[in-house]
Each structure stands twice: as structure tokens, then as C-alpha cells.
Amino acid sequence: MFGDIFGDFFGGGSRRGASNGPMKGANLRTSVRITFEEAVFGCEKEIDMVLKDECTTCGGTGAKPGTSPETCTKCGGKGKVVFSQQSLFGMVQNVQTCPECNGSGKIIKDRCTSCRGTGYTSSRKKIKVSIPAGIDNGQSVRIREKGEPGVNGGPRGDLLVEVIVSSHPIFQRQDMNIFSTAPISFAQAVLGGETRISTVDGDVIYEVKPGTQTDTRIRLKGKGVPSLRNKNIRGDQYVTLVVQVPTSLSAEAKEALRAFDAVSGDSLHTGAGEGIKQEKHHKKRGFFKKED
Ligand SMILES: [Zn+2]
Ligand SMILES: [Zn+2]
């Protein structure tokens, strides 16, 4: 149903020339855009395609009803003509598509008016596409026998639908795994506690461990993308916990933070840490204004 993405780019043997045997029609290609979640869980889509069908008026011959195509006299129905040419190395034989019948081997004197002699009519059709859970951007779904009609009773070609997956504001994907970031507060990072994390299955509550550093990556098992072969097998979600630094604290909160600092190392007064030392050095040379 899907999977063999390449393989018959050239329409499964439709280039066999003017043989009279049944030939499979050429494949058609199109694309469909789906959301990140639709790729994860699979979806049904309907696409509009203009498909050729054998003309019902003439039965695909291209000739007006009551008449029939005549064998091309120039090529004798072979669709190819051989001509000889004098070259430096003697006579050379060249094979060329018959210019009279364009390789069909037949000449239509009275054209069918429904198809203007082509033997085919085109119409817009709605085609259902089942997109399997786990499909990734750029992969194709093959729909059998929705391509060009076959010749001389051969089967239709296939329709290859390339799937374009839109990017997601929160989730990134790599194969079967999903990646995201989630903010946690300084207090949650220090003390631990519950935080809500978005997954493709909805929010989950995660218990942050006390003493979690920023950029800690956690794994939510089975919250990734299903395997294309077995949708019960799922990848994981990797979430990077990012400790948020508050930018607009109330006077009260700032006071509480200063009090916290005073009893936990007093970095505001002892100048602990490399960055603060450098700042003091600069101050001496007058790069910074004095603070109050
Ligand atoms: Zn016709
Ligand atoms: Zn011909």
C-alpha cells in the first residue's frame, strides 16, 4: 500500500515502445500537506486529481464511432522508420519515431469528437488517501492504479502522493523521537515538584527532581512517533527542562530573594564567582557606573 517510494520512477515499463502488448500506464505524482499530529497518528485525506480515462465514445481508439484507425502507410504500423544516411564511414542506418503517426502506428482519419482523437477524456476526481501513523516528511504513499491508464488492456499506473509535514511550534521530530523544551521555575528546580509538560497525547504531569540543573534532558517513554510498520511501537519524547530566570519581580519577591541569598552563600556581598570578580575589575577602570 505504501513504502516503496522509489523503484518505478518511469512508470513500470511504459517505455517499451510501440509494442502491441498490454502496457502499464505511467505513474502520477502529487503531494499533500498534513500537520505534525496527523503524521504521528495517521489520517485520511482526500485529494483532487485530474485523471485520464479511456474515452467511452470511441472506446479509446480516437476514431469517430463507425470508423476505425488505419494502419500508418509510412511505417507499416511499426511506429518506427528506418532511414539510411551516407556518412564518412559508409552507410549508416538510423531508426526514428515515425513522423506520420508519431509512433502509434495508426492514422486516424475521422477523429472522435469527445476526445479529439486522443482516445482519452480527463476528469477531476476525488481520491482518498490513507496516511499511516508514523509517516515522515518527504515520504510517499502509493495508491495503486490511480495513475495514467494502461495501453492495450494493461493496468493503470499508480499515484504517488508525497507527504509534506508542517512544522510544529513546540515539537521537533527526528525519526521516531520527539524533542521539546519545557520551562520550570527556579523554585521547582531547587525543591523539585510537579510540572505540566505538553506531549502529542496531551499534557502530562512530570515530577521534577530536587536540584535539577537547567538544560537537563528527561525522557518520556513512549510519547514519540509510532513505527510505520507497527503503530504499537512508539519512540520517546525528550524534554529539555529550562530553568527560568524571573525578569520582573515585585519588591517583596526581590527582598525574599536577597534574604535567601544572604543565608545561602551571600553571593551578593562576597562576590563569589568568576563573573563577579571581573565586574569588580572593570569597575576600577571606570567602565561601569557605580551602583547605589
Ligand atoms: Zn474518443
Ligand atoms: Zn507511422
Side-chain angles (χ1 to χ4, degrees):
M1 182 179 125
F2 57 86
D4 44 346
I5 296 158
F6 303 108
D8 54 358
F9 248 98
F10 299 109
S14 60
R15 302 281 162 107
R16 262 180 288 158
S19 115
N20 290 323
M23 284 187 289
K24 189 185 174 184
N27 291 340
L28 288 174
R29 291 174 170 272
T30 188
S31 63
V32 66
R33 180 175 283 276
I34 62 171
T35 67
F36 188 93
E37 286 89 348
E38 285 174 328
V40 173
F41 296 111
C43 60
E44 300 283 323
K45 289 278 159 184
E46 202 173 59
I47 50 173
D48 267 349
M49 283 295 291
V50 174
L51 288 187
K52 278 188 198 167
D53 277 303
E54 195 170 82
C55 174
T56 49
T57 308
C58 64
T61 64
K64 206 172 213 168
T67 72
S68 52
E70 288 164 25
T71 302
C72 175
T73 48
K74 183 154 179 106
C75 62
K78 291 193 187 74
K80 288 185 168 71
V81 283
V82 179
F83 64 96
S84 304
Q85 215 173 16
Q86 183 67 46
S87 79
L88 282 175
F89 313 103
M91 289 294 272
V92 176
Q93 286 206 322
N94 284 300
V95 179
Q96 211 181 37
T97 299
C98 175
E100 200 68 30
C101 62
N102 288 316
S104 69
K106 283 168 183 158
I107 298 285
I108 298 163
K109 288 251 168 68
D110 291 309
R111 292 181 178 201
C112 165
T113 49
S114 302
C115 63
R116 282 165 306 182
T118 61
Y120 299 107
T121 51
S122 296
S123 61
R124 191 169 287 277
K125 295 213 169 73
K126 290 195 185 303
I127 296 166
K128 281 200 166 65
V129 191
S130 290
I131 296 169
I135 196 140
D136 210 344
N137 187 42
Q139 290 183 308
S140 291
V141 173
R142 177 185 296 264
I143 303 165
R144 300 266 175 222
E145 306 208 349
K146 293 290 180 191
E148 300 275 32
V151 178
N152 295 324
R156 292 189 79 101
D158 300 331
L159 175 62
L160 302 171
V161 183
E162 188 189 356
V163 176
I164 317 273
V165 182
S166 296
S167 61
H168 192 277
I170 297 173
F171 304 126
Q172 280 99 47
R173 173 176 171 181
Q174 201 178 346
D175 303 322
M176 284 169 64
N177 294 325
I178 292 174
F179 296 85
S180 67
T181 61
I184 57 170
S185 73
F186 178 64
Q188 284 175 314
V190 176
L191 303 173
E194 290 184 343
T195 189
R196 193 177 282 271
I197 293 177
S198 299
T199 77
V200 289
D201 297 315
D203 289 359
V204 296
I205 302 296
Y206 178 79
E207 184 75 31
V208 177
K209 287 192 187 70
T212 295
Q213 301 294 322
T214 194
D215 291 339
T216 295
R217 187 187 267 187
I218 58 155
R219 183 171 72 141
L220 302 177
K221 210 165 181 298
K223 292 292 179 193
V225 180
S227 159
L228 262 180
R229 301 187 189 286
N230 178 358
K231 66 177 177 182
N232 296 318
I233 299 171
R234 285 180 65 176
D236 302 323
Q237 183 177 345
Y238 290 92
V239 184
T240 304
L241 300 175
V242 182
V243 177
Q244 304 296 293
V245 175
T247 52
S248 55
L249 287 180
S250 66
E252 193 187 0
K254 279 181 183 167
E255 199 44 56
L257 189 57
R258 285 195 191 95
F260 160 76
D261 185 65
V263 297
S264 62
D266 202 21
S267 69
L268 294 172
H269 294 102
T270 61
E274 201 59 33
I276 298 167
K277 267 182 204 158
Q278 267 180 9
E279 196 183 3
K280 282 201 165 168
H281 183 64
H282 282 277
K283 259 184 200 168
K284 255 183 215 163
R285 287 159 52 173
F287 282 105
F288 286 83
K289 280 184 189 165
K290 266 198 173 160
E291 285 174 51
D292 297 335

